[in-house]
């Protein structure tokens, strides 16, 4: 399983952006325009390009600028939806999880154990319900044809095993734990960048810092945010994949966003956590708070689900009440309570949920919908990160049907992303595991840069596991155009403000080194 294209074809940088804009100006007609460079939009662009359609993706800021970088970085199997009887979306989630793990991005997605410690606060009846839910998750895995070699069966573990997985859990009257398995991304923004680059390798024109200032079913007016220049592109189909901003492109769309908040801790605060520590929210049988081991020696604690009406901010902010909720819930399971002083960073994202009659955003359907406006503009809304590929498939199917496009059937269930590698081929890559998790087969390019210039092997700041060569690669191959792109999306250094500040000089130096392709 290797991508059927060259790294050169998947290379995105400032020089290619300029060349692509010139080419688009000379021939401003395409089959499909995709507006939005998040996980759904890049997924649509890949699907359309892989079907042989001339495809243009435009993003007003950067890849994964919005909701797609604020997720829990989990690839869920849909277990939560079974509790409310939504078998269809649960099965769809499990199927898409399997595709990501096996084919699309096995280098970016790994199996993650999930542990519910059986503490005194969890009564026998509640533990029985959780165990039944995990068994239903096993059934979902089987129905999705995901093997136990990929995701093991759920089981009950002894107290000693629970403490090995989550060393800071309370020991007093611990009755062991319930363990299940799910998928975890090394990073959500890196998935989006890989999708964009793979779409480009299949022939899509992929442009960041290009805003769609007006759109209808057969054309978009574009503005280059870097130069201010405008152009109109004619298209046979236009897909609005702007997530929570969908209503700004098509004013007939009405969403009900909800805010999900996470806190960022040093891994030491959880004593070497190696599972998703899963703690039931008091008073609920279906909601949990998760502490997730994450890249860069961190743990993410989430997740809230709060109604977020009003204007859509570029960077949503957690509320004080949400921070208290997360700390109070996780502390029910810990020997030593965490405090605000332990928090290294925080982030929040808005889910583009479809509006329903229910009053609780926690219960709003995560199903997606593909809507067509009277002028033919196609909008894809709802859904979640795990099901992005199916959302993209449905959106392109709608575009093909609406515009009678000469497209082949969807191929994305069989297309590995740039860098995809697994099994023995992964074992043969001569690079540190942390690099393989971020870059897959392209990790060898980072190592080659280290060998050619040992200064590129130096961390970008003390205590940060990102090297100068990775900053260079982001600029030369991954379309990083600004310091923010480097720190906040190609790497996630920016999730901890003090780390971000420390890495700024190295980011500035990287752009200076690579000035030839950035000017």
């Amino acid at each position: 399983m290797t991508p059927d294209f060259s790294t050169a074809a998947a290379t995105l940088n400032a020089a290619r952006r300029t060349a692509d804009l010139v080419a688009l100006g000379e021939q401003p007609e395409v089959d499909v325009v995709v507006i939005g460079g998040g996980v759904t939009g890049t997924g649509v662009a890949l699907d359309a390009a892989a079907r042989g359609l001339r495809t243009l993706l435009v993003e007003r800021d950067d890849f994964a600028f919005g909701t797609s970088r604020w997720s829990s970085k989990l690839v869920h199997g849909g277990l939560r939806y079974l509790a409310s009887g939504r078998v269809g979306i649960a099965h769809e989630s499990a199927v898409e999880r399997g595709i990501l793990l096996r084919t699309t991005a096995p280098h970016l997605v790994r199996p993650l154990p999930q542990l519910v410690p059986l503490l005194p606060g969890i009564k026998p009846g509640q533990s029985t319900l959780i165990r039944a839910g995990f068994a239903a998750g096993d059934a979902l895995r089987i129905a999705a044809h995901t093997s136990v070699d990929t995701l093991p069966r759920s089981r009950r573990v002894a107290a000693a095993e629970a403490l090995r997985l989550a060393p800071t859990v309370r020991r007093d009257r611990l009755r062991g734990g319930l363990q299940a398995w799910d998928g975890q991304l090394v990073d959500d923004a890196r998935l989006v960048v890989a999708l964009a680059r793979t779409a480009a390798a299949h022939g899509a024109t992929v442009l960041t810092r290009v805003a769609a200032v007006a759109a209808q079913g057969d054309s978009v007016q574009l503005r280059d945010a870097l130069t201010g220049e405008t152009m109109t592109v004619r298209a046979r189909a236009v897909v609005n994949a702007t997530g929570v901003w969908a209503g700004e492109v098509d004013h007939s769309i009405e969403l009900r966003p909800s805010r999900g908040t996470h806190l960022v801790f040093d891994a030491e605060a959880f004593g070497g956590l190696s599972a998703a520590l899963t703690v039931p929210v008091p008073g609920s049988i279906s909601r949990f708070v998760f502490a997730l081991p994450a890249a860069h020696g961190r743990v993410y604690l989430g997740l809230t689900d709060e109604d977020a009406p009003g204007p859509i901010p570029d960077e949503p902010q957690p509320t004080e009440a949400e921070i208290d909720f997360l700390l109070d819930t996780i502390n029910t399971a810990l020997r030593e309570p965490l405090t605000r002083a332990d928090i290294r960073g925080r982030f929040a994202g808005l889910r583009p949920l479809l509006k329903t009659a229910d009053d609780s955003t926690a219960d709003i359907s995560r199903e997606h919908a593909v809507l067509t406006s009277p002028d033919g503009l196609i909008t894809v809304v709802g859904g979640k990160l795990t099901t992005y590929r199916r959302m993209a498939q449905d959106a392109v199917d709608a575009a093909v049907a609406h515009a009678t496009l000469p497209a082949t059937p969807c191929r994305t269930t069989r297309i590995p992303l740039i860098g995809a590698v697994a099994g023995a081929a992964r074992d043969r890559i001569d690079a540190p595991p942390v690099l393989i998790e971020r870059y897959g087969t392209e990790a060898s390019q980072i190592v080659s840069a280290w060998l050619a210039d040992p200064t590129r092997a130096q961390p970008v700041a003390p205590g940060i596991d990102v090297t100068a060569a990775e900053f260079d690669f982001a600029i030369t191959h991954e379309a990083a155009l600004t310091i923010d792109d480097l720190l906040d999306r190609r790497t996630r250094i920016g999730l901890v403000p003090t780390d971000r500040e420390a890495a700024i000089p190295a980011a500035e130096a990287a752009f200076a080194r690579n000035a030839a392709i950035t000017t």
Side-chain angles (χ1 to χ4, degrees):
M1 176 209 63
T2 56
D4 57 354
F5 49 81
S6 68
T7 296
T11 294
L12 296 177
N13 53 42
R16 178 166 177 176
R17 178 184 184 276
T18 298
D20 284 347
L21 278 168
V22 170
L24 185 64
E26 293 173 347
Q27 189 179 355
E29 300 90 18
V30 299
D31 292 321
V32 179
V33 171
V34 185
I35 306 171
V39 70
T40 305
T42 53
V44 172
L46 172 57
D47 189 303
R51 297 195 202 196
L53 299 173
R54 187 179 181 211
T55 303
L56 167 67
L57 179 143
V58 292
E59 161 58 46
R60 67 180 181 182
D61 291 292
D62 182 31
F63 301 127
F65 182 83
T67 303
S68 293
R69 63 170 158 150
W70 303 130
S71 77
S72 297
K73 288 68 174 158
L74 291 177
V75 179
H76 283 297
L79 177 58
R80 173 177 176 179
Y81 308 112
L82 287 181
S84 53
R86 286 172 280 182
V87 177
I89 188 172
H91 180 259
E92 178 179 273
S93 297
V95 169
E96 295 301 322
R97 177 185 63 185
I99 294 169
L100 272 163
L101 280 162
R102 291 190 304 269
T103 303
T104 306
H107 60 309
L108 297 178
V109 187
R110 65 171 182 135
L112 177 71
Q114 175 182 350
L115 175 73
V116 180
L118 295 176
L119 292 161
I122 298 180
K123 305 304 180 186
Q126 187 177 14
S127 67
T128 298
L129 285 174
I130 295 170
R131 184 69 188 93
F134 283 177
D138 290 338
L140 276 178
R141 174 188 55 73
I142 293 169
H145 305 293
T146 302
S147 74
V148 293
D149 294 330
T150 301
L151 292 177
R153 297 181 183 88
S154 63
R155 63 190 182 113
R156 181 162 180 163
V157 299
E161 177 67 2
L163 291 169
R164 185 188 68 80
L165 294 169
T168 56
V169 162
R170 294 174 184 262
R171 297 172 182 264
D172 184 38
R173 292 188 290 167
L174 176 65
R175 308 190 308 275
L178 300 175
Q179 183 191 71
W181 290 78
D182 222 330
Q184 183 184 34
L185 282 164
V186 65
D187 185 66
D188 44 11
R190 292 207 61 77
L191 174 67
V192 176
V193 171
L195 281 163
R197 294 180 62 206
T198 306
H202 280 82
T205 299
V206 179
L207 299 169
T208 59
R209 265 69 181 202
V210 174
V213 295
Q216 50 191 8
D218 61 359
S219 66
V220 292
Q221 183 181 353
L222 305 178
R223 182 179 65 241
D224 184 345
L226 302 185
T227 67
E229 295 180 1
T230 63
M231 75 170 73
T232 297
V233 173
R234 293 181 293 278
R236 297 175 67 180
V238 178
V239 178
N240 171 19
T242 55
V244 288
W245 292 279
E248 296 179 7
V249 179
D250 182 346
H251 298 294
S252 69
I253 300 295
E254 188 175 6
L255 300 179
R256 184 177 173 182
S258 79
R259 185 175 53 252
T261 286
H262 294 80
L263 305 178
V264 183
F265 297 85
D266 285 330
E268 290 79 4
F270 284 84
L273 184 69
S274 57
L277 176 57
T278 306
V279 179
V281 173
S284 173
I285 62 171
S286 61
R287 291 191 63 199
F288 298 85
V289 160
F290 303 89
L292 304 163
H296 308 302
R298 296 170 181 166
V299 169
Y300 301 147
L301 174 63
L303 182 66
T304 63
D305 204 336
E306 299 295 330
D307 203 9
I312 306 299
D314 282 346
E315 294 196 13
Q317 297 299 316
T319 65
E320 297 303 307
E322 288 174 306
I323 294 170
D324 288 339
F325 164 78
L326 291 172
L327 288 174
D328 290 345
T329 304
I330 197 68
N331 282 338
T332 64
L334 302 180
R335 290 197 303 278
E336 296 292 334
L338 295 169
T339 70
R340 285 173 177 259
D342 297 305
I343 299 172
R344 295 291 311 282
R346 60 196 68 181
F347 62 92
L350 296 179
R351 308 174 182 91
L353 303 183
L354 291 168
K355 192 169 185 178
T356 71
D358 197 289
D359 288 334
S360 171
T361 59
D363 294 324
I364 289 178
S365 174
R366 302 301 167 88
E367 294 181 19
H368 65 274
V370 177
L371 312 171
T372 304
S373 68
D375 71 4
L377 178 64
I378 295 166
T379 297
V380 54
V381 290
K384 58 202 186 82
L385 183 146
T386 304
T387 59
Y388 84 87
R389 192 213 61 81
R390 184 54 195 245
M391 295 169 65
Q393 177 181 339
D394 290 349
V396 177
D397 283 347
V400 168
H402 175 77
T404 319
L405 296 172
T408 61
C410 176
R411 297 174 48 215
T412 52
T413 58
R414 306 184 303 277
I415 295 178
L417 300 187
I418 183 73
V421 67
R426 178 184 180 126
D427 295 338
R428 289 193 295 269
I429 298 174
D430 188 12
V434 68
L435 286 185
I436 300 172
E437 290 172 359
R438 295 173 190 166
Y439 301 96
T441 57
E442 293 186 305
S444 58
Q445 295 187 52
I446 306 296
V447 173
S448 294
W450 292 353
L451 296 174
D453 181 354
T455 66
R456 302 295 188 268
Q458 296 302 310
V460 295
I464 295 177
D465 66 349
V466 175
T467 64
E470 292 173 76
F471 275 5
D472 291 342
F473 190 81
I475 295 168
T476 60
H477 288 73
E478 296 180 338
L481 301 179
T482 70
I483 287 173
D484 289 350
D485 295 351
L486 283 183
L487 300 179
D488 299 332
R489 289 169 289 276
R490 302 307 177 276
T491 70
R492 304 313 294 275
I493 294 170
L495 289 177
V496 174
T498 54
D499 289 349
R500 190 185 199 283
E501 187 68 22
I504 286 175
E508 293 172 339
F511 277 103
R513 282 194 301 275
N514 295 282
I517 67 164
T518 60
T519 57

